[in-house]
Amino acid sequence: MKKLFTLLLLLVIVAVAVFAGSPYYSAYQLKNAYDAKEGATVAAAIDYERVRPSVERQLTDKFANTMTKYPGVAALGGEPLTEAANGFIIQAVDGAITPQNIERLISSQGQANSATKELAAAWAIASNQVDLKNLIRDMIIRRGDIDAVVKNQVQKMMDKQANQLEQQVAQGTDSDKPKLSYCGMNCFTISGQVKGYPITIEMQRQGFIDWKIIDVVLP
């Protein structure tokens, strides 16, 4: 009876250890896959139906906050400017955050393709990196054609971000030891740098020991 109790106690301890340690092992597997350029492994660990809306919301909220700093621009562009910018942001996120693109991005270790450049441009536009003088000039010249104004800014941002992305890939560093921490019983975060960009990944438990990436917090 004593041996049976000891065995049961040992099994409980092992189960608790596996349960508690599973996200650390998942994070370890993800980092190994990233370092080995195994894009398919990383791509399969993402819940796209949750990550995409979150990134879209972060960028559209960031753009709305940027516009509050320039009431004159907001008034000049009006609702069409917001709709066109948000439309591009959503399009860029939908095109970049896909299993195929994530796999390519990891496998090439950050080499920018057109989808990634569009996402970088969307982030730049949302993050107050627009050339305001050109934006205002375009809105005056192309009054009523806000889509053309936004497309012009998008192209400028894509050209600029393409160069910056190439520099980051060449010179940016990755965290050797990302910060790992529980944010709840079924919530776990990985924080660190990817090519010099600070980033936080949130994972959620799936079943007993499996985990999925459900959110990416942008800088």
Side-chain angles (χ1 to χ4, degrees):
M1 191 72 178
K2 184 177 180 181
K3 288 183 179 180
L4 178 60
F5 176 77
T6 301
L7 178 60
L8 289 174
L9 181 59
L10 180 60
L11 289 174
V12 170
I13 292 173
V14 170
V16 170
V18 170
F19 182 84
S22 60
Y24 293 94
Y25 183 64
S26 292
Y28 170 77
Q29 288 181 309
L30 285 173
K31 188 173 189 311
N32 281 351
Y34 173 80
D35 291 340
K37 302 182 182 180
E38 296 173 358
T41 300
V42 177
I46 299 172
D47 184 341
Y48 295 90
E49 298 308 311
R50 298 185 68 173
V51 172
R52 271 193 295 260
S54 173
V55 174
E56 289 170 1
R57 185 172 57 254
Q58 289 179 65
L59 292 179
T60 53
D61 286 352
K62 194 181 284 281
F63 178 72
N65 182 61
T66 294
M67 284 297 96
T68 62
K69 299 175 183 178
Y70 305 102
V73 174
L76 186 61
E79 189 64 26
L81 176 61
T82 300
E83 290 179 356
N86 287 346
F88 169 70
I89 288 170
I90 292 170
Q91 173 188 306
V93 172
D94 287 346
I97 304 181
T98 67
Q100 296 79 12
N101 194 55
I102 295 299
E103 182 175 347
R104 285 196 300 267
L105 191 62
I106 299 299
S107 298
S108 65
Q109 286 293 285
Q111 185 175 348
N113 53 38
S114 58
T116 307
K117 291 175 184 177
E118 283 192 2
L119 182 60
W123 178 83
I125 288 172
S127 303
N128 197 15
Q129 296 186 38
V130 172
D131 187 330
L132 286 177
K133 288 184 178 179
N134 283 336
L135 178 63
I136 293 171
R137 184 199 64 195
D138 283 353
M139 284 195 292
I140 292 173
I141 293 174
R142 305 187 187 192
R143 188 66 174 168
D145 192 359
I146 295 298
D147 284 340
V149 172
V150 171
K151 286 178 182 177
N152 187 42
Q153 285 294 318
V154 165
Q155 190 56 56
K156 290 179 182 296
M157 287 298 102
M158 284 183 66
D159 294 340
K160 179 181 177 181
Q161 289 300 311
N163 293 330
Q164 186 171 331
L165 283 170
E166 289 175 2
Q167 291 177 3
Q168 287 292 132
V169 170
Q171 303 172 9
T173 58
D174 298 322
S175 297
D176 290 330
K177 295 181 179 180
K179 181 180 178 182
L180 310 176
S181 61
Y182 268 99
C183 48
M185 182 178 292
N186 299 315
C187 174
F188 194 81
T189 60
I190 305 172
S191 298
Q193 286 194 341
V194 177
K195 301 303 178 188
Y197 291 108
I199 198 169
T200 296
I201 294 171
E202 182 180 332
M203 300 194 301
Q204 187 177 74
R205 191 186 301 275
Q206 308 288 309
F208 190 71
I209 60 172
D210 293 329
W211 292 80
K212 277 274 193 181
I213 296 172
I214 64 163
D215 199 6
V216 176
V217 181
L218 301 176

